[in-house]
Amino acid sequence: MKVDEATVRRIARLARIRIDDVEAGRLVGELSSILTWVEQLEEVNTDGVEPMTSVVNAQIKMRQDEVTDGGYLDRILANAPSVEDGYFIVPKVVE
Amino acid sequence: MRRALKTVILSSRKLWSSRLSELINLSLSEARDGLGAREFSATELTIAYLNRIEEARPLNVFVCETPESALRMAAKADIRLAGGDAGALEGIPIAVKDIFCTDGVETTAASRILKGFVPQYESTVTANLLSAGALMLGKVNNDEFAMGSSNENSAFGPTINPWRREDDVTNLVPGGSSGGSAAAVAALLSPAATATDTGGSIRQPAAFTGTVGIKPTYGRCSRWGIIAFASSLDQAGPITRTVRDCAIMLKEMAGHDPKDTTSVNLPVPDYEAALRGDLSGMKVGIPTEYHLEGLPDEVDLLWKQGIDWAKTAGAEVVDVSLPHTKYALPAYYIVAPAEASSNLARYDGVRYGNRVAQDDLIDMYEATRAEGFGAEVRRRILIGTYVLSAGYYDDYYLKAQKVRSLILRDFTEVFNKVDVLLTPTTTNAAFEIGEKVDDPLSMYLNDILTVPANMAGLPSMSLPGGLNNEGLPLGLQLIGKPFDEATIFRVAQCLEEARGPFPHPKKWW
């Protein structure tokens, strides 16, 4: 699959990664060659094959829906770039 | 008189220091036995390694050294060793890949985006090791978020392989992503290291550095507290100098953890106890499809050598077929980036890590992630975002997961006939720094022989097989049945015995 520059920019926007013109140009080539290479999977007949969902054939573990952890706000906030009154601070989102 | 006394003191110091420096030559099991017999102290052993680490800074192995806490823990270990209540790894120094969260010690996954991140908790695997008495020498380098096969994708710069070609001063890569872990063990900076393997990140660096590394069955080790790359593939495991050391380490790292829903509640066998007997009655499979076109003669020869060793040890060697082998790598390069794009969405500059301040929230996300992630991580996030995006999910991700089912089916059928598979670990020895950085696809091909085991969740080990004619190590790979690491260890031990002692790299740094 060949991707064009508009697609690269759209994907970068979805991924929330800013790219400049030089990088966008380079990524067109890199992503196209990688995506073309993975297309060899089309040769494989997967009719009737279930997609793998888990490599471990185990039952999903169940537990009571109850609080088992918490109560340490200071540790949660310890690495945040910006904190005020026990909250994470981000740029203004709502006018 | 005074001069004579001084000479005596100096010579005894010299004696002490030469004895001290020799402690680094002991394997983990030898060090354990020596500590148990009180032949030397944990403090002496730790000092020997700290000195060696200081000398080896040109290799760029450690990204964070923790000598003070190492010595504090060594002193406590010495008390427990004296008191007779020593753990299985009491007083054994280890290096920790900088992708395991360590309480109070900066953990970055070698990414700018996590610069300054100090976890408030300890990963389950490292906590298990610490409670067995191990002590941490520091954190070691890796490819950013474990994405890479050369350790060149690190915000700290590349780790240099302690091995060089004979009569050649060119710096080589140690492999990746656990390049720091492998280099630490090979250069005798630590008896053992923790590592992780998503597509070969334990085994390929082990092969490039002449060390032993095992990726256990998916679910054997808890992933809790390990910075996630691709959650359905990531597994932790040890890198060591010998098969026995690897068995000792894995036993302590493994085990059920309620905090990781994919960790399996099965007893962990005593892997060291499995290291006995020959291979009579055992069937070793040789997968035809691993005979890649253009496989260099030196790798083919090594493989034949391994087969001969297995036969001599009493194994029956059987040719087997894994028809979907060639599709494992392309399927991996859909599944792993897809999961990575999801896992790495959390790095948004809000809760931890670096933030690039902007007036608008979306601008802040985009600027933070553009500056924080390196080129390979950005590339993989974009591939992952693309294959998961509307209209492409079925064609790429779903297709890859179906192919993955077929890969597992191949292995399941083969393991009805044989006990273990033997292959080379890599198609080549360590390459030069910078040689493949501009060609992502050729870098990805490094994992062609290791990725299938990850896709199927199977345990797999690399152990040194020999040196190529340039004097560089090459690895043999064993792939086992789910949760049958014990058979891998038993076979590996026989191959190791047949091979004989493996040399350490010459110290040039």
Side-chain angles (χ1 to χ4, degrees):
Chain A
M1 171 67 83
K2 289 269 182 282
V3 294
D4 56 19
E5 197 173 316
T7 307
V8 168
R9 288 187 182 283
R10 183 175 61 84
I11 294 298
R13 182 78 178 163
L14 285 173
R16 299 282 186 256
I17 297 175
R18 183 175 292 166
I19 52 171
D20 60 23
D21 292 347
V22 176
E23 189 170 18
R26 199 180 61 232
L27 282 164
V28 166
E30 288 174 355
L31 296 194
S32 295
S33 75
I34 294 164
L35 291 166
T36 305
W37 171 69
V38 299
E39 271 163 20
Q40 58 180 294
L41 295 185
E42 286 169 12
E43 302 162 20
V44 186
N45 182 355
T46 52
D47 294 346
V49 177
E50 286 295 311
M52 186 187 263
T53 49
S54 170
V55 291
V56 184
N57 207 0
Q59 290 243 278
I60 292 175
K61 293 170 205 164
M62 307 289 274
R63 66 165 176 85
Q64 289 301 314
D65 184 12
E66 60 189 12
V67 177
T68 57
D69 198 7
Y72 37 75
L73 186 65
D74 54 328
R75 288 164 64 197
I76 303 288
L77 297 174
N79 282 288
S82 180
V83 170
E84 213 174 291
D85 296 334
Y87 290 94
F88 296 112
I89 301 301
V90 296
K92 196 170 172 185
V93 183
V94 186
E95 287 302 325
Chain B
M1 181 65 197
R2 182 173 279 182
R3 180 172 292 173
L5 191 64
K6 204 171 171 186
T7 313
V8 170
I9 291 171
L10 275 179
S11 68
S12 79
R13 262 193 201 157
K14 211 169 171 183
L15 202 75
W16 186 73
S17 105
S18 80
R19 182 193 155 212
L20 196 72
S21 66
E22 275 166 26
L23 295 178
I24 59 166
N25 294 310
L26 300 176
S27 69
L28 187 155
S29 69
E30 289 165 346
R32 175 194 62 183
D33 297 346
L35 285 168
R38 317 296 320 279
E39 287 165 19
F40 48 84
S41 69
T43 302
E44 288 174 307
L45 185 64
T46 304
I47 290 172
Y49 279 112
L50 292 174
N51 290 343
R52 179 83 171 182
I53 290 168
E54 209 175 309
E55 291 166 5
R57 288 198 184 126
L59 299 179
N60 198 27
V61 173
F62 279 78
V63 298
C64 172
E65 296 173 14
T66 53
E68 292 87 5
S69 72
L71 287 169
R72 268 199 311 275
M73 292 173 77
K76 285 182 188 165
D78 281 326
I79 292 169
R80 282 192 293 269
L81 284 159
D85 56 349
L89 294 173
E90 198 68 60
I92 298 292
I94 55 165
V96 173
K97 185 177 182 180
D98 198 28
I99 204 155
F100 291 81
C101 287
T102 41
D103 195 357
V105 178
E106 185 178 7
T107 302
T108 67
S111 180
R112 280 191 302 277
I113 211 160
L114 277 175
K115 191 172 189 312
F117 174 67
V118 179
Q120 306 294 302
Y121 49 85
E122 186 79 25
S123 84
T124 298
V125 162
T126 48
N128 288 347
L129 290 168
L130 296 179
S131 71
L135 57 97
M136 182 173 83
L137 295 165
K139 307 294 288 285
V140 289
N141 209 349
N142 47 261
D143 285 295
E144 182 179 6
F145 288 106
M147 297 182 197
S149 303
S150 66
N151 214 124
E152 290 166 293
N153 304 330
S154 164
F156 298 101
T159 291
I160 315 291
N161 195 332
W163 287 88
R164 282 177 165 176
R165 296 180 188 122
E166 266 164 31
D167 308 318
D168 187 343
V169 296
T170 311
N171 282 338
L172 306 176
V173 303
S177 69
S178 309
S181 307
V185 173
L188 311 183
L189 314 186
S190 179
T194 69
T196 58
D197 189 316
T198 304
S201 282
I202 289 175
R203 290 159 288 157
Q204 183 253 17
F208 279 14
T209 57
T211 53
V212 183
I214 188 166
K215 178 201 91 71
T217 314
Y218 184 84
R220 187 57 103 176
C221 287
S222 168
R223 292 181 296 107
W224 194 82
I226 298 172
I227 294 174
F229 161 16
S231 302
S232 78
L233 299 157
D234 297 344
Q235 259 297 289
I239 294 181
T240 59
R241 294 179 210 159
T242 69
V243 171
R244 179 172 299 273
D245 293 357
C246 207
I248 295 168
M249 279 287 286
L250 182 62
K251 178 169 186 293
E252 302 308 321
M253 292 168 74
H256 178 238
D257 178 13
K259 288 190 290 220
D260 172 5
T261 51
T262 63
S263 112
V264 171
N265 195 358
L266 283 175
V268 179
D270 182 352
Y271 297 123
E272 198 181 4
L275 303 177
R276 56 189 160 75
D278 59 11
L279 302 183
S280 46
M282 193 159 299
K283 284 187 180 166
V284 175
I286 307 301
T288 313
E289 290 77 8
Y290 283 60
H291 285 283
L292 299 171
E293 208 180 309
L295 196 68
D297 287 346
E298 62 185 28
V299 177
D300 208 44
L301 272 170
L302 173 92
W303 195 3
K304 288 201 177 91
Q305 176 68 259
I307 293 169
D308 282 345
W309 288 335
K311 281 182 184 161
T312 308
E316 183 187 342
V317 173
V318 187
D319 285 329
V320 295
S321 173
L322 298 162
H324 295 92
T325 297
K326 71 174 275 207
Y327 301 109
L329 199 63
Y332 174 86
Y333 272 98
I334 293 171
V335 174
E339 294 183 13
S341 74
S342 170
N343 270 325
L344 273 60
R346 74 190 66 178
Y347 303 103
D348 56 6
V350 174
R351 288 153 299 161
Y352 34 71
N354 263 341
R355 166 187 295 194
V356 178
Q358 301 276 305
D359 293 336
D360 175 76
L361 183 65
I362 305 273
D363 286 345
M364 185 199 85
Y365 291 153
E366 292 189 342
T368 294
R369 290 162 64 79
E371 190 182 283
F373 293 136
E376 179 60 23
V377 173
R378 294 199 299 273
R379 193 180 292 130
R380 293 206 200 182
I381 291 174
L382 294 179
I383 295 169
T385 306
Y386 181 82
V387 300
L388 292 177
S389 64
Y392 294 111
Y393 178 85
D394 285 7
D395 287 351
Y396 289 99
Y397 191 72
L398 208 62
K399 180 78 181 183
Q401 291 290 56
K402 288 179 180 175
V403 171
R404 209 173 161 187
S405 292
L406 294 173
I407 292 164
L408 176 61
R409 191 186 290 173
D410 285 353
F411 277 114
T412 306
E413 282 170 13
V414 158
F415 280 126
N416 287 328
K417 290 176 259 179
V418 299
D419 301 290
V420 70
L421 300 169
L422 173 64
T423 79
T425 311
T426 59
T427 57
N428 46 268
F431 48 89
E432 292 176 22
I433 293 203
E435 194 178 322
K436 297 182 190 226
V437 279
D438 294 327
D439 185 356
L441 263 181
S442 102
M443 191 67 95
Y444 296 173
L445 289 171
N446 263 288
D447 290 338
I448 196 159
L449 300 176
T450 50
V451 146
N454 299 81
M455 293 301 270
L458 300 171
S460 179
M461 173 192 278
S462 178
L463 75 154
L467 300 176
N468 72 3
N469 50 25
E470 293 178 309
L472 294 178
L474 290 169
L476 286 168
Q477 178 177 239
L478 295 164
I479 304 172
K481 296 176 184 177
F483 300 103
D484 190 16
E485 289 86 359
T487 295
I488 291 182
F489 281 119
R490 183 173 154 199
V491 176
Q493 168 89 345
C494 289
L495 298 179
E496 187 181 64
E497 272 169 22
R499 183 204 66 209
F502 201 75
H504 301 310
K506 284 196 199 91
K507 186 168 177 253
W508 51 263
W509 54 87

mmCIF file of all heavy atoms in Angstrom, chain B residues 341-357:
data_model
loop_
_atom_site.group_PDB
_atom_site.id
_atom_site.type_symbol
_atom_site.label_atom_id
_atom_site.label_comp_id
_atom_site.label_asym_id
_atom_site.label_seq_id
_atom_site.Cartn_x
_atom_site.Cartn_y
_atom_site.Cartn_z
ATOM 1 N N SER B 341 0.854 1.656 19.472
ATOM 2 C CA SER B 341 0.186 2.947 19.275
ATOM 3 C C SER B 341 -0.864 3.167 20.359
ATOM 4 O O SER B 341 -1.070 4.284 20.823
ATOM 5 C CB SER B 341 -0.437 3.036 17.878
ATOM 6 O OG SER B 341 -1.594 2.237 17.784
ATOM 7 N N SER B 342 -1.476 2.087 20.791
ATOM 8 C CA SER B 342 -2.461 2.168 21.863
ATOM 9 C C SER B 342 -1.780 2.374 23.227
ATOM 10 O O SER B 342 -2.144 3.263 23.987
ATOM 11 C CB SER B 342 -3.300 0.889 21.838
ATOM 12 O OG SER B 342 -4.100 0.797 22.966
ATOM 13 N N ASN B 343 -0.758 1.561 23.515
ATOM 14 C CA ASN B 343 -0.057 1.673 24.801
ATOM 15 C C ASN B 343 0.605 3.037 24.992
ATOM 16 O O ASN B 343 0.654 3.567 26.094
ATOM 17 C CB ASN B 343 1.024 0.590 24.910
ATOM 18 C CG ASN B 343 0.494 -0.696 25.528
ATOM 19 O OD1 ASN B 343 -0.363 -0.664 26.413
ATOM 20 N ND2 ASN B 343 0.996 -1.826 25.062
ATOM 21 N N LEU B 344 1.166 3.584 23.916
ATOM 22 C CA LEU B 344 1.934 4.820 24.056
ATOM 23 C C LEU B 344 1.054 6.076 23.979
ATOM 24 O O LEU B 344 1.553 7.192 24.075
ATOM 25 C CB LEU B 344 3.079 4.883 23.029
ATOM 26 C CG LEU B 344 4.381 4.206 23.510
ATOM 27 C CD1 LEU B 344 4.206 2.743 23.823
ATOM 28 C CD2 LEU B 344 5.512 4.410 22.519
ATOM 29 N N ALA B 345 -0.265 5.843 23.845
ATOM 30 C CA ALA B 345 -1.186 6.991 23.880
ATOM 31 C C ALA B 345 -1.148 7.680 25.241
ATOM 32 O O ALA B 345 -1.507 8.843 25.361
ATOM 33 C CB ALA B 345 -2.601 6.524 23.557
ATOM 34 N N ARG B 346 -0.697 6.944 26.256
ATOM 35 C CA ARG B 346 -0.707 7.504 27.622
ATOM 36 C C ARG B 346 0.320 8.620 27.798
ATOM 37 O O ARG B 346 0.229 9.389 28.749
ATOM 38 C CB ARG B 346 -0.448 6.384 28.634
ATOM 39 C CG ARG B 346 0.990 5.911 28.683
ATOM 40 C CD ARG B 346 1.165 4.657 29.510
ATOM 41 N NE ARG B 346 0.478 3.502 28.896
ATOM 42 C CZ ARG B 346 0.491 2.277 29.389
ATOM 43 N NH1 ARG B 346 1.100 2.035 30.525
ATOM 44 N NH2 ARG B 346 -0.118 1.284 28.767
ATOM 45 N N TYR B 347 1.302 8.712 26.917
ATOM 46 C CA TYR B 347 2.334 9.745 27.079
ATOM 47 C C TYR B 347 1.850 11.029 26.426
ATOM 48 O O TYR B 347 2.049 11.272 25.238
ATOM 49 C CB TYR B 347 3.679 9.273 26.505
ATOM 50 C CG TYR B 347 4.100 7.987 27.163
ATOM 51 C CD1 TYR B 347 3.963 6.760 26.512
ATOM 52 C CD2 TYR B 347 4.565 7.983 28.482
ATOM 53 C CE1 TYR B 347 4.283 5.572 27.142
ATOM 54 C CE2 TYR B 347 4.886 6.805 29.128
ATOM 55 C CZ TYR B 347 4.745 5.607 28.452
ATOM 56 O OH TYR B 347 5.051 4.432 29.090
ATOM 57 N N ASP B 348 1.151 11.820 27.236
ATOM 58 C CA ASP B 348 0.479 13.004 26.717
ATOM 59 C C ASP B 348 0.915 14.281 27.427
ATOM 60 O O ASP B 348 0.343 15.335 27.225
ATOM 61 C CB ASP B 348 -1.039 12.823 26.840
ATOM 62 C CG ASP B 348 -1.467 12.530 28.274
ATOM 63 O OD1 ASP B 348 -0.614 12.585 29.182
ATOM 64 O OD2 ASP B 348 -2.660 12.244 28.491
ATOM 65 N N GLY B 349 1.905 14.155 28.293
ATOM 66 C CA GLY B 349 2.402 15.344 28.980
ATOM 67 C C GLY B 349 1.508 15.828 30.103
ATOM 68 O O GLY B 349 1.655 16.957 30.571
ATOM 69 N N VAL B 350 0.576 14.983 30.551
ATOM 70 C CA VAL B 350 -0.353 15.422 31.593
ATOM 71 C C VAL B 350 -0.009 14.817 32.951
ATOM 72 O O VAL B 350 0.153 15.524 33.935
ATOM 73 C CB VAL B 350 -1.811 15.077 31.213
ATOM 74 C CG1 VAL B 350 -2.764 15.401 32.369
ATOM 75 C CG2 VAL B 350 -2.217 15.834 29.956
ATOM 76 N N ARG B 351 0.122 13.483 32.996
ATOM 77 C CA ARG B 351 0.243 12.827 34.299
ATOM 78 C C ARG B 351 1.680 12.545 34.717
ATOM 79 O O ARG B 351 1.988 12.440 35.883
ATOM 80 C CB ARG B 351 -0.572 11.529 34.297
ATOM 81 C CG ARG B 351 -2.064 11.791 34.316
ATOM 82 C CD ARG B 351 -2.825 10.680 33.679
ATOM 83 N NE ARG B 351 -2.444 10.512 32.279
ATOM 84 C CZ ARG B 351 -2.661 9.431 31.574
ATOM 85 N NH1 ARG B 351 -3.240 8.409 32.111
ATOM 86 N NH2 ARG B 351 -2.285 9.380 30.312
ATOM 87 N N TYR B 352 2.549 12.350 33.722
ATOM 88 C CA TYR B 352 3.969 12.102 34.036
ATOM 89 C C TYR B 352 4.769 12.406 32.792
ATOM 90 O O TYR B 352 4.218 12.560 31.696
ATOM 91 C CB TYR B 352 4.214 10.663 34.493
ATOM 92 C CG TYR B 352 3.330 9.639 33.819
ATOM 93 C CD1 TYR B 352 3.513 9.325 32.477
ATOM 94 C CD2 TYR B 352 2.300 9.010 34.509
ATOM 95 C CE1 TYR B 352 2.697 8.394 31.854
ATOM 96 C CE2 TYR B 352 1.489 8.074 33.896
ATOM 97 C CZ TYR B 352 1.686 7.779 32.580
ATOM 98 O OH TYR B 352 0.884 6.868 31.955
ATOM 99 N N GLY B 353 6.050 12.472 32.953
ATOM 100 C CA GLY B 353 6.928 12.683 31.807
ATOM 101 C C GLY B 353 7.019 14.134 31.406
ATOM 102 O O GLY B 353 6.514 15.021 32.082
ATOM 103 N N ASN B 354 7.678 14.318 30.267
ATOM 104 C CA ASN B 354 7.941 15.672 29.799
ATOM 105 C C ASN B 354 6.719 16.290 29.150
ATOM 106 O O ASN B 354 5.948 15.608 28.493
ATOM 107 C CB ASN B 354 9.082 15.645 28.777
ATOM 108 C CG ASN B 354 10.391 15.980 29.442
ATOM 109 O OD1 ASN B 354 10.421 16.553 30.523
ATOM 110 N ND2 ASN B 354 11.487 15.641 28.782
ATOM 111 N N ARG B 355 6.564 17.591 29.310
ATOM 112 C CA ARG B 355 5.505 18.330 28.631
ATOM 113 C C ARG B 355 6.154 19.477 27.863
ATOM 114 O O ARG B 355 7.066 20.128 28.366
ATOM 115 C CB ARG B 355 4.520 18.892 29.653
ATOM 116 C CG ARG B 355 3.585 19.942 29.080
ATOM 117 C CD ARG B 355 2.722 20.610 30.130
ATOM 118 N NE ARG B 355 1.798 19.669 30.749
ATOM 119 C CZ ARG B 355 0.756 20.056 31.510
ATOM 120 N NH1 ARG B 355 0.531 21.338 31.747
ATOM 121 N NH2 ARG B 355 -0.030 19.154 32.049
ATOM 122 N N VAL B 356 5.675 19.691 26.629
ATOM 123 C CA VAL B 356 6.044 20.895 25.894
ATOM 124 C C VAL B 356 4.846 21.832 25.998
ATOM 125 O O VAL B 356 3.778 21.545 25.454
ATOM 126 C CB VAL B 356 6.384 20.589 24.420
ATOM 127 C CG1 VAL B 356 6.717 21.881 23.667
ATOM 128 C CG2 VAL B 356 7.554 19.610 24.340
ATOM 129 N N ALA B 357 5.023 22.908 26.753
ATOM 130 C CA ALA B 357 3.888 23.797 27.059
ATOM 131 C C ALA B 357 3.365 24.473 25.793
ATOM 132 O O ALA B 357 4.136 24.922 24.951
ATOM 133 C CB ALA B 357 4.328 24.843 28.080
#
